[in-house]
Amino acid sequence: MPVEFLGIAATHDGSETHPRSGASFDKDYTLKLARAHEDHGWDRVLFAYGSGSPDPAPAAAYIAARLDKLQILLAHRPNVSYPTFAAKTFATLDQISDGRLTVHFITGGSDQEQGREGDTLTKDQRYSRTREYIEIVKRIWTSHEPFDHEGEHYRFHDFVSDVFPVQQPRPDVSFGGSSDAAHAAGGAEADIYCLWGEPLEKTAEQIETVKAAARAAGRTTPPRIQVAFRPIIAPTEELAWEKAHRTVATINARKEQGGALVRRGRGAPENTGSQRLIAIAEAGERYDRALWTPTAAATGGAGNSNALVGTPETVAQALLDYYDLGVDILSARGYDLLGDAIDFGRHVIPLVREEVAKRDAERAVRAESAESGPRRLAKAGR
């Protein structure tokens, strides 16, 4: 199966290790970073969502209108707009991008962060709302006749959109989460299920859980799987590990100064995904071929925060280990957003693509051989 690479579409140059140098929306940097991804072999970039951050939808439209190939993954929280409005926004963006949009629905893992924009639902209520929201958006994208909706969270009558996506029958829906409620909702509705980078054994367990949730929802085809990492690469293993330790030291120093981009809120994280990352970090620093957890520990399990450390060859082989589990979308984001996107695109992506092409060719040969055997037997029997 083909492999895809997802990067980050940041609107400024700040990260856990670098204070931003300008405004929160720097359109020149936003375009420069997106163009670097397009020019160096990435398939799509994520426009993330935060309660006080620049609105990702117009930022995505700005990039989509200026680049020709790069695909867009737009993060969206259902609490910020009614699904009828959101569906039109997404369809319009798919038109602007000539069919390059995927929508990532975020349920929200922090009561405090959700409350910043007036969302007071409990976690389970939020997952119920997200599932209903996605169902509505899908129907709006594909319905050319007016319809009514009477649900637990939304009610409207006689709605039909006058703008539809370029992609038919609709754009893909992306979804993430590690709780039972997340698996149920995403297993039922997602085309792509997103996981944070964990050890191979635990990732395999999560993939099986997602597949089981999809079967329970009556689906015959499970979601595609995406896994996210923070790669730290250098020409030699020694230099890569020196870079990794410098990275964590910088994160901790900035955290002490109140400047690091770490998990928002007080106390232990509420979301299951961050709890899992912290537990994995407490159990050990290194796993498998290259997975390293101190970056996650330093940020309190903030989002995509486990690293892959090593030479480009080592990191590429580590990513292929996840590909062999059934992961076909690999998300990566460095700490020097622009420089790391270029380096990863130059030195890691080609290695992974080359090896995936070899493996796919070998599978095709084995499949052809398996099919030709019965045909030869049948011909001999005649």
Side-chain angles (χ1 to χ4, degrees):
M1 60 184 173
V3 65
E4 298 180 10
F5 287 91
L6 168 69
I8 190 70
T11 59
H12 59 76
D13 60 356
S15 75
E16 296 92 333
T17 60
H18 295 75
R20 76 181 190 219
S21 61
S24 61
F25 180 59
D26 179 340
K27 70 176 185 179
D28 292 334
Y29 181 83
T30 302
L31 180 58
K32 186 177 182 180
L33 180 61
R35 183 168 284 129
H37 282 86
E38 181 170 85
D39 290 344
H40 291 89
W42 299 78
D43 296 285
R44 61 169 60 88
V45 289
L46 166 66
F47 283 85
Y49 189 93
S51 60
S53 301
D55 187 347
Y62 171 71
I63 294 304
R66 285 160 177 80
L67 300 181
D68 298 323
K69 298 181 296 182
L70 193 66
Q71 299 175 53
I72 303 297
L73 178 59
L74 179 69
H76 180 78
R77 287 184 186 167
N79 62 293
V80 299
S81 68
Y82 216 70
T84 50
F85 176 84
K88 294 184 297 179
T89 300
F90 304 147
T92 303
L93 182 53
D94 200 53
Q95 290 283 343
I96 292 170
S97 67
D98 295 321
R100 287 178 281 149
L101 177 70
T102 298
V103 182
H104 180 66
F105 289 92
I106 302 174
T107 299
S110 164
D111 290 345
Q112 182 184 21
E113 169 67 4
Q114 295 301 121
R116 287 175 172 141
E117 293 187 286
D119 187 4
T120 59
L121 296 186
T122 65
K123 181 179 177 180
D124 284 349
Q125 288 173 331
R126 291 198 296 266
Y127 276 111
S128 171
R129 176 182 62 191
T130 299
R131 185 168 179 174
E132 183 179 342
Y133 197 98
I134 294 173
E135 290 171 351
I136 293 169
V137 168
K138 287 179 178 178
R139 186 171 182 185
I140 292 171
W141 280 341
T142 57
S143 296
H144 291 263
E145 297 295 332
F147 68 93
D148 300 339
H149 179 83
E150 294 280 345
E152 179 182 358
H153 301 280
Y154 301 102
R155 295 181 181 181
F156 55 85
H157 304 284
D158 197 36
F159 181 83
V160 64
S161 178
D162 194 33
V163 57
F164 293 91
V166 171
Q167 298 176 80
Q168 293 299 313
R170 58 173 178 78
D172 279 346
V173 165
S174 172
F175 186 91
S178 297
S179 67
D180 292 341
H183 292 140
E189 298 296 336
D191 301 296
I192 299 168
Y193 202 101
C194 306
L195 304 172
W196 289 334
E198 296 186 0
L200 291 165
E201 181 180 2
K202 291 186 178 296
T203 300
E205 292 171 356
Q206 288 230 67
I207 292 172
E208 290 307 311
T209 300
V210 171
K211 289 181 177 179
R215 289 193 297 269
R219 297 177 61 176
T220 56
T221 303
R224 298 169 65 195
I225 301 296
Q226 173 185 303
V227 177
F229 303 96
R230 306 299 295 271
I232 300 175
I233 63 172
T236 68
E237 296 293 327
E238 181 180 6
L239 290 174
W241 285 104
E242 288 177 1
K243 182 178 178 181
H245 288 290
R246 284 199 310 273
T247 297
V248 168
T250 302
I251 293 172
N252 287 328
R254 292 202 66 219
K255 185 169 57 177
E256 291 176 2
Q257 298 166 3
L261 296 173
V262 298
R263 184 182 54 79
R264 307 289 184 182
R266 300 174 181 174
E270 299 169 26
N271 63 305
T272 305
S274 291
Q275 292 169 6
R276 288 175 65 96
L277 294 187
I278 291 173
I280 290 167
E282 289 174 346
E285 288 193 358
R286 295 180 66 169
Y287 292 86
D288 305 319
R289 194 185 301 267
L291 190 72
W292 196 55
T293 66
T295 46
T299 58
N304 168 24
S305 50
N306 269 339
L308 292 176
V309 182
T311 64
E313 292 78 12
T314 295
V315 171
Q317 288 300 319
L319 292 170
L320 287 162
D321 291 338
Y322 288 89
Y323 175 81
D324 290 338
L325 292 181
V327 177
D328 66 339
I329 303 176
L330 300 169
S331 175
R333 172 165 56 101
Y335 292 94
D336 172 7
L337 300 181
L338 180 60
D340 287 346
I342 293 171
D343 286 346
F344 189 89
R346 282 177 175 166
H347 303 299
V348 178
I349 289 178
L351 296 177
V352 176
R353 290 200 193 280
E354 181 181 5
E355 185 59 33
V356 165
K358 290 179 181 177
R359 295 182 187 195
D360 287 350
E362 290 169 357
R363 289 192 186 101
V365 170
R366 289 195 296 269
E368 174 63 25
S369 176
E371 292 176 2
S372 64
R375 287 200 299 267
R376 287 195 300 267
L377 291 173
K379 184 176 181 180
R382 292 199 297 269

